[in-house]
Amino acid sequence: MNIQTSKLLLRHQLLEGAKRRISREPYRCFSCSIRHAQHQSQPPKSPQDTPGTTHFGFEKVAEALKEQRVGAVFSSVASSYDTMNDLMSLGIHRLWKDHFVRNLNPGRNPLTSLSASERGWNILDIAGGTGDIAFRMLDHASTINNDAHTRVTVADINPDMLAEGKKRALATPYARSPRLKFVEANAEKLDMIPDSSVDLYTVAFGIRNFTHKDAAIREAYRVLKPGGVFACLEFSKVNNSVFDALYKRWSFGAIPLIGQLVAGDRDSYQYLVESIERFPSQTEFRDMIQEAGFLVPGQGWEDLTGGIAAVHKGVKPI
Amino acid sequence: MAPPARLSNSIFGIFRATSFRPALLRKCRLYHSYEYSQPPPFSATASAILASAITHVPSYGFTSTALKLGAGDAGYLDVSTNLLPRGVFDLVNYHLIMQRLALKDNVQFPSASEQGTAKKLGIGAKVRTLTLARLRANEPIIHRWQEALAIMAQPSYVPTSLAELARLADEIWFLAGDTSVDTSWYTKRASLSAIYSATEIFMTQDTSKDFTETEQFLDARLEDVTRIGGFLGALGEWVDYTGHSAVNVLRSKGVRI
Ligand SMILES: C[S@@+](CC[C@H](N)C(=O)[O-])C[C@H]1O[C@@H](n2cnc3c(N)ncnc32)[C@H](O)[C@@H]1O
């Protein structure tokens, strides 16, 4: 068997696997595809950024450009996303999302709700594009807490991702219910969301794409009710050095290669692994959350799978 | 009927714990009730939510429902319970810590001078009184305690639960006035931990009036240790009241001595 046929065979198997999963699983995206990042540079030596520029992976670009480029990433809604996501996390990202939602325990049990006026939670899922987190939230509220009132607003900067989410919503019981809403919005400027109106703000695999993470966290603080919770699921820093070395080798070496193989798009996946590598460490990100005024539970975060991903939370004080 | 702990309190007045602790031992035990300079184990907000949640445990158990109701009482939202990283285990742990810290106020022994010569309470008897007082603090939630035990038995919570049990044993020996630092230090704490947890489980199934069977069970376990473990012999009897009047008062209250 020559290399060409084995490549084809692998590709075939992957697509088959992906198809089977698609029928059961809603759209999942934490990988990001970009066609514009043509040349990769080495990680910048100095941590000091030139004013007006920001990171696009390890590449430095003008801030205005980043938004545009990230937009382009998510506009190319490639059919290989699901396959890639599963390959990259070995399928674990689904467990992470399940854990994320279960742990937040969304929904009010009607048996113990004290006042009838405060029914259900108002959840805002930022960068929620495909509705992946939103559907899980609504399922959990309905089946675990018997709460038929909790509602989710999915906000994303990219209309194509929102369109994909709406399409996928048709396969859920929430498609035309008032419990699910889609809005086009930049996380850094949520003007359409009133102050102190949200119980739970979630962002899963989205925040590392934001140009101004601190601005996004401040917006989260503004829209949350006192006592409301900010929760973020994101790739993070592996905390065991041996595991870290292995994972870096895997992510920097294998992932772009698989990207090339499956999607024919090596550069996009190069951007993905680099943007993960550039994201602040668990402690740095916890400090950013505290600086915005949030109280953090315990140490402030929970590592998942040895720190490949982490959940950070903050509670807005009353 | 007043539990014997309160009884001894009213009869004998107040015992002040002199805090003679060898520096080395003090270092590894940071949670003694007398060491109030230590930061509290829960933040102010978490404490507010937990303190309210505890009042819902008799009706709702150690559940996320009790936590949510507690958050509501404290002026927070359902979702604010996310401030507790370990959820219902934090509620169980809060109960354990608060009751351990409350022990020194619930049970106060008379000092040697206040006691006079006739009524000297031995360390063993004090340990018994303190253990019983701590068990009695579970009375309001005893019908929910098996739930709590199940939560504590979850693998990720076992180390913390055991550490807290060890701190309780340590606190009891300390409040009983045991200042010895010999090799029996660990054995004393280990055997008291074992006795305490066995009795605690027994108590969840005890339907006798005023938990008299739990008291009997505790005494039997303490006697076992005295009989089998010669190392504790030096402490004398667990129930060696030399003051006859005290013994008789306790007997009349149903304590088997
Ligand atoms: C990797 S996907 C994550 C999708 C989903 N939350 C999940 O976990 O599968 C990242 C999303 O972030 C969105 N995004 C990027 N920058 C954004 C911004 N500034 N404001 C809102 N959404 C943004 C993208 O459009 C994309 O849908």
Side-chain angles (χ1 to χ4, degrees):
Chain A
M1 187 160 67
N2 62 32
I3 293 172
Q4 204 52 41
T5 32
S6 64
K7 262 190 189 176
L8 278 173
L9 198 67
L10 173 63
R11 191 164 174 159
H12 179 74
Q13 283 166 346
L14 292 173
L15 288 176
E16 276 308 301
K19 270 184 223 148
R20 250 179 285 121
R21 275 185 298 272
I22 286 166
S23 55
R24 201 169 44 79
E25 269 285 308
Y27 191 80
R28 276 169 272 105
C29 151
F30 63 71
S31 61
C32 315
S33 186
I34 172 86
R35 289 163 198 288
H36 302 266
Q38 296 303 359
H39 31 80
Q40 294 98 38
S41 55
Q42 284 307 302
K45 293 194 177 59
S46 127
Q48 202 62 44
D49 295 343
T50 327
T53 66
T54 182
H55 293 284
F56 188 77
F58 283 146
E59 199 186 0
K60 254 193 258 175
V61 297
E63 280 180 359
L65 254 178
K66 172 161 177 174
E67 205 175 296
Q68 210 182 313
R69 283 198 173 183
V70 172
V73 166
F74 296 107
S75 277
S76 58
V77 178
S79 59
S80 62
Y81 268 15
D82 282 314
T83 318
M84 283 304 302
N85 288 339
D86 280 330
L87 272 174
M88 281 181 37
S89 69
L90 311 164
I92 299 172
H93 70 103
R94 268 173 288 162
L95 303 182
W96 291 338
K97 287 175 179 168
D98 288 344
H99 173 85
F100 181 64
V101 170
R102 199 180 323 113
N103 201 250
L104 286 163
N105 191 14
R108 252 197 150 179
N109 186 331
L111 296 174
T112 58
S113 286
L114 295 178
S115 75
S117 60
E118 270 299 304
R119 292 165 100 183
W121 294 11
N122 187 20
I123 301 174
L124 177 62
D125 184 35
I126 292 287
T130 55
D132 215 13
I133 296 294
F135 304 149
R136 279 179 167 82
M137 290 282 178
L138 292 170
D139 284 346
H140 184 101
S142 313
T143 57
I144 307 292
N145 288 319
N146 300 308
D147 170 349
H149 297 277
T150 285
R151 58 217 169 273
V152 183
T153 304
V154 178
D156 201 294
I157 200 167
N158 189 304
D160 296 330
M161 291 297 275
L162 288 168
E164 184 67 29
K166 282 180 199 160
K167 202 166 84 195
R168 292 183 182 225
L170 294 174
T172 73
Y174 316 110
R176 268 176 246 294
S177 91
R179 302 180 65 192
L180 185 63
K181 242 182 15 193
F182 291 88
V183 298
E184 193 181 318
N186 183 341
E188 296 164 22
K189 221 172 168 319
L190 298 170
D191 290 342
M192 68 300 292
I193 314 280
D195 294 3
S196 306
S197 63
V198 171
D199 291 82
L200 172 61
Y201 172 115
T202 54
V203 53
F205 302 114
I207 205 163
R208 70 167 187 277
N209 300 303
F210 300 173
T211 315
H212 302 106
K213 297 169 184 57
D214 48 346
I217 299 173
R218 278 199 303 274
E219 271 296 81
Y221 190 89
R222 179 185 67 77
V223 301
L224 280 167
K225 298 175 187 172
V229 168
F230 166 87
C232 171
L233 171 60
E234 188 53 88
F235 284 107
S236 210
K237 299 271 185 273
V238 173
N239 37 42
N240 171 306
S241 57
V242 176
F243 188 31
D244 188 33
L246 279 173
Y247 186 73
K248 273 208 189 108
R249 215 185 158 127
W250 161 252
S251 61
F252 276 93
I255 292 174
L257 195 69
I258 297 169
Q260 175 97 54
L261 223 70
V262 179
D265 185 3
R266 186 184 179 104
D267 296 337
S268 313
Y269 294 99
Q270 189 72 31
Y271 162 72
L272 170 69
V273 286
E274 287 179 4
S275 74
I276 294 168
E277 186 56 24
R278 284 221 52 86
F279 194 69
S281 72
Q282 283 91 327
T283 23
E284 286 164 346
F285 190 47
R286 186 261 326 270
D287 293 346
M288 285 169 72
I289 293 168
Q290 280 180 324
E291 266 157 40
F294 286 104
L295 306 166
V296 299
Q299 64 170 0
W301 76 88
E302 179 192 4
D303 282 326
L304 306 178
T305 321
I308 295 184
V311 174
H312 281 80
K313 289 182 191 172
V315 179
K316 181 172 172 175
I318 50 173
Chain B
M1 186 194 89
R6 310 225 180 269
L7 186 74
S8 53
N9 181 9
S10 57
I11 294 179
F12 299 123
I14 290 160
F15 167 78
R16 289 199 201 297
T18 50
S19 54
F20 160 73
R21 306 297 289 172
L24 200 125
L25 285 173
R26 188 194 288 268
K27 237 182 146 181
C28 51
R29 277 168 284 125
L30 297 175
Y31 287 93
H32 270 307
S33 57
Y34 67 90
E35 281 170 329
Y36 270 121
S37 52
Q38 288 301 316
F42 298 96
S43 72
T45 311
S47 296
I49 294 176
L50 288 166
S52 309
I54 272 291
T55 66
H56 294 283
V57 169
S59 311
Y60 295 95
F62 290 90
T63 57
S64 62
T65 305
L67 280 177
K68 288 179 178 182
L69 290 169
D73 293 351
Y76 279 83
L77 307 170
D78 276 9
V79 71
S80 315
T81 54
N82 274 287
L83 192 59
L84 307 163
R86 296 173 297 186
V88 289
F89 178 73
D90 283 320
L91 186 57
V92 175
N93 201 31
Y94 178 81
H95 172 79
L96 295 174
I97 292 173
M98 295 318 278
Q99 291 307 330
R100 167 167 54 80
L101 295 178
L103 204 52
K104 74 165 196 341
D105 298 317
N106 293 346
V107 183
Q108 286 159 334
F109 296 111
S111 68
S113 58
E114 284 166 327
Q115 233 173 40
T117 44
K119 304 177 190 167
K120 201 169 173 311
L121 214 52
I123 286 181
K126 285 180 180 172
V127 166
R128 175 190 182 276
T129 305
L130 287 157
T131 307
L132 203 53
R134 175 58 192 87
L135 288 164
R136 292 234 177 245
N138 279 356
E139 273 181 30
I141 47 92
I142 194 68
H143 58 298
R144 297 293 185 177
W145 196 245
Q146 288 195 351
E147 262 165 54
L149 292 170
I151 295 166
M152 286 188 266
Q154 287 172 28
S156 47
Y157 301 142
V158 166
T160 316
S161 307
L162 287 179
E164 179 52 33
L165 179 63
R167 279 187 209 115
L168 174 65
D170 187 39
E171 179 80 359
I172 290 176
W173 281 108
F174 170 69
L175 292 176
D178 177 53
T179 53
S180 58
V181 287
D182 53 27
T183 49
S184 71
W185 196 91
Y186 288 103
T187 351
K188 279 184 203 157
R189 276 146 188 84
S191 35
L192 183 56
S193 298
I195 290 170
Y196 179 81
S197 41
T199 316
E200 193 181 57
I201 292 167
F202 182 91
M203 190 173 169
T204 63
Q205 289 150 5
D206 185 357
T207 52
S208 66
K209 192 171 173 294
D210 203 35
F211 298 99
T212 42
E213 284 178 13
T214 298
E215 232 172 273
Q216 289 162 10
F217 183 88
L218 173 65
D219 287 341
R221 297 290 78 71
L222 291 171
E223 271 162 35
D224 287 349
V225 174
T226 321
R227 219 175 322 114
I228 302 163
F231 52 85
L232 294 174
L235 282 168
E237 299 305 307
W238 293 90
V239 284
D240 69 340
Y241 295 92
T242 49
H244 292 286
S245 56
V247 174
N248 288 336
V249 169
L250 289 174
R251 276 194 178 134
S252 74
K253 293 285 176 191
V255 179
R256 276 177 20 125
I257 295 169

